[in-house]
Amino acid sequence: MIEFRKASWTTRLKRLALSADSWIDASLYAAGHRAGEIYERIRSVTDRLTVSGPKRLAAEFASEGLNVGIAGAIVMLMLAIPAFREGREEALKNQVFAVTFLDRYGSEIGHRGARHDDSLKLEEFPDHLLKAVLATEDRRFYDHFGIDVIGTFRAITVNARASGVVQGGSSLTQQLAKNLFLNNERSLDRKIKEAFLSLWLEYRLTKNEILKLYLDRAYMGGGTFGVAAAAEYYFGKSVKNVTLAEAAMLAGLFKAPTKFAPHVNLPAARARASDVLNAMVDAGFMTAGQVDSARRNPATPIDRKRDASPDYYLDWAFDEIRKLADDGKLGPERVLTVKTPHDPAIQKRADEAVESILRQHGPAYRARQAATVIMDPDGAVRAIVGGRDYGASQFNRATSSLRQPGSSFKPYVYAAAMSAGLYKPTTIVTDRPVCIGNWCPNNYGRSYAGSMPLTVALAKSINTIPVQMSIAIGKATGETHEARAARIGRMKIVETCRAMGLTTPLTDTVSLPIGAGEVTVIEQAAGYAVFANGGKRARPYAAFDIRNSAGEEIYRHDRDEPPPAQVLSTQVAYEMNQMLSTVPTAGTGRRAALDGVVSAGKTGTTNGYKDAWYVGYTGNLVGAVWFGNDDSSETANMTGGSLPAMTWKEIMAFAHQGIELKPMPGVAPQPGDAKAAVAKATDPAAAAGAGAGHMPRKSFEVLSSVGAMFKAVETPRTARAAVQVGAREAASGLTAIR
């Protein structure tokens, strides 16, 4: 019975397996048969579509065109993604803040935020003003899709014939995209972003909304934004009431607001207004008879010659106020009056110094831009020059541009090494070959000066010493391998830089100790302020106090900010001051020396002479000056000891007139006054009280013999190199790979 049941189950399993096999075979056969039928149908259809001759050629072109189109669409999408990331809905909305800025004396210096009046509707603008703007900026504005292909092609043709930029090809929408989201950088990347953002604007907004935004947001010179604010500023009237001649003058400002500002150059503004009137006739918006009266009676602005708007300073200050609001320090208040540390006299002198020196010496050195920041030793910013022409470029080179500091970075290295207890101003160091891997720094004269005191090494900007310092700092931790010790030392140097106020990323490279990182001008001023104030962190700030619309004080810097942290010991700060004070008297910064005022500082020049710096200070003020080019092109052998040092001296000599001179911590108050220095050095109370700003006997002995030290360094073997060093700033960040 059991055997019968086993046989029955076996038979059933066999039958089941046979059934499954048969079903699979039948299904595969049926599927293959159906696939064959489908293939035959497809082939019969494609046979009918087969073409030859001209039709086949057209089909091939269409097929290839589709392939290229798909590839092009993918490339366009890749290019568009960065632009769309730049686009922000918030930029289309009205500014929330309305900030009035006062200088340190309580006088109004400008507005930011809701200063521009965007309360008017487009229909309230005079018709002749709209026609003037469209005639000069974008005659085909209502006909294109954001990019004026015809206008661009015409501009390319005209510029090619003229062998220069004569006519712009950007549409009004493209200009608005640049104003809202981008900067004035001349690059292909910016133009691509501009094109895609203009398409985004055309998709998001109507033509009238785009035109309204353009009229409200464009910079119009004199610190004003938008035609409504410009009409009030230049003509003292509402934009609704401007005449045809005044409208033409306003429309002429869009191209170059600083160049054609009527309060700066009235003849140029009137000539530009005449061009606008001609453009209106050429565009068919008006007849020659209609504009004849405006041509014969040009607009006359109200007297604004004495007005000067520190626009770069105001832009930075506005950003700082917004940061305070983001941190919750201003509560819900957004209509504010801010008293700043701004000094209008120093600002004016700084602007004039930068422009005059660039105009006089810039062509010879092939330098076209400069920036400077002047602040108090506690971080109160008095003046900012972010470039030579705010109307041409609102990019703030003093606060936003990252540049290599060259040898002006070395004081941070010295401070780190002295904080580690490894060096003193009198320490004898040796300028000798030193290599990390296959990288070996060299001096300007391609030679070595031998042994010298540390003070002389800093004053003469010897390149090998900071590299040796980075190795010594690392070895002090117990690391014996030289390359690993150098890496540890660089980490300690970066920590010191962070503590002193350098916030931008510093890439760890072997050449970091001689200035291969990147910093901003305002960071350099803040870093050196630590030396000037005796070792305390100096955070740049833009507000003494802030009041709301009711006049109530809602913020005060000395009350609402924490006290500055001591980031360097007073001893290290004093010794750094003693060493850096020799740079303008006997080192690479002689052109920065001030008559009758003790100063200290450091020059800096980078590879290829692309960047030149002078960062210096007195007991009263700190200043950082940079010269170079926006495109990082090389200058004609410009060093930090040339134009930057000259500019720094011109600003600081003016700033110190008629004020009480404060002593520099650790340095005698009168340079060159040997009797006074000896008296103070031999006074036990003075020697013990170096913290009061007096020089100890040992320090005086070091500095009084510094001339002999320099002569000792200039041996016959290195005399030629030393002369070159003194004339052109030795070790300005230049390196040699051997």
Side-chain angles (χ1 to χ4, degrees), residues 651-722:
I651 299 170
M652 288 297 192
F654 170 82
H656 285 78
Q657 291 179 0
I659 65 173
E660 180 183 352
L661 298 180
K662 298 178 181 178
M664 183 183 299
V667 180
Q670 291 297 328
D673 189 348
K675 291 183 179 180
V678 169
K680 293 180 183 297
T682 54
D683 181 7
H694 301 301
M695 183 185 298
R697 174 188 292 273
K698 186 64 177 177
S699 299
F700 171 73
E701 291 173 351
V702 171
L703 293 180
S704 64
S705 61
V706 72
M709 297 176 185
F710 280 101
K711 292 180 180 179
V713 172
E714 296 174 2
T715 61
R717 179 173 61 84
T718 60
R720 181 181 178 185

Side-chain angles (χ1 to χ4, degrees), residues 259-409:
K259 180 179 179 181
F260 298 122
H263 71 305
V264 175
N265 192 337
L266 184 58
R270 285 177 170 171
R272 175 61 179 161
S274 180
D275 292 339
V276 173
L277 293 173
N278 291 335
M280 295 176 72
V281 175
D282 293 340
F285 294 158
M286 283 192 171
T287 65
Q290 288 176 308
V291 303
D292 184 61
S293 176
R295 199 188 309 276
R296 286 186 288 105
N297 300 283
T300 300
I302 61 179
D303 186 13
R304 293 285 188 183
K305 291 183 179 179
R306 295 184 179 181
D307 291 358
S309 177
D311 293 309
Y312 287 115
Y313 188 101
L314 294 177
D315 287 350
W316 170 77
F318 183 60
D319 289 338
E320 292 300 302
I321 300 308
R322 297 189 67 170
K323 290 177 183 176
L324 291 176
D326 292 340
D327 292 340
K329 295 182 179 181
L330 305 182
E333 303 291 346
R334 292 297 180 267
V335 179
L336 309 169
T337 299
V338 179
K339 185 176 182 181
T340 71
H342 182 263
D343 190 316
I346 294 179
Q347 178 72 60
K348 181 180 179 182
R349 190 52 173 246
D351 288 328
E352 292 173 347
V354 166
E355 179 58 31
S356 64
I357 288 179
L358 276 173
R359 190 188 309 115
Q360 183 177 358
H361 302 288
Y365 281 99
R366 295 201 301 270
R368 297 180 293 276
Q369 276 295 352
T372 183
V373 172
I374 308 297
M375 66 170 59
D376 291 336
D378 72 338
V381 178
R382 292 201 179 204
I384 293 178
V385 179
R388 67 186 303 182
D389 188 345
Y390 184 83
S393 171
Q394 290 86 56
F395 177 65
N396 197 329
R397 295 158 188 83
T399 61
S400 302
S401 181
L402 290 173
R403 293 286 180 167
Q404 288 192 347
S407 293
S408 65
F409 185 80

Side-chain angles (χ1 to χ4, degrees), residues 47 93 122 373 550 686 717:
D47 287 343
K93 302 175 182 178
L122 188 64
V373 172
R717 179 173 61 84

Side-chain angles (χ1 to χ4, degrees), residues 46 87 163 239 293 300 333 409 422 504 535 557 591 596 664 699:
T46 55
S163 299
V239 70
S293 176
T300 300
E333 303 291 346
F409 185 80
L422 303 176
T504 53
H557 182 269
R591 290 183 179 179
M664 183 183 299
S699 299

Side-chain angles (χ1 to χ4, degrees), residues 37-57:
E37 290 179 347
I38 293 172
Y39 174 76
E40 289 297 330
R41 291 175 185 173
I42 293 174
R43 191 174 70 172
S44 64
V45 172
T46 55
D47 287 343
R48 295 176 200 164
L49 295 176
T50 301
V51 294
S52 59
K55 291 183 178 180
R56 179 166 184 175
L57 184 62

Side-chain angles (χ1 to χ4, degrees), residues 404 409 413 436 439 466-467 470-471 473-474 482-495 497-498 504-519:
Q404 288 192 347
F409 185 80
V413 182
I436 300 176
W439 177 80
V467 180
S470 67
I471 297 172
I473 294 172
E482 197 160 271
R484 288 195 291 269
R487 186 179 299 110
I488 295 172
R490 292 193 300 271
M491 291 174 59
K492 297 291 185 181
I493 292 168
V494 171
E495 290 176 7
C497 292
R498 291 281 173 266
T504 53
L506 294 172
T507 304
D508 182 16
T509 62
V510 290
S511 55
L512 175 70
I514 56 174
E518 290 183 327
V519 296

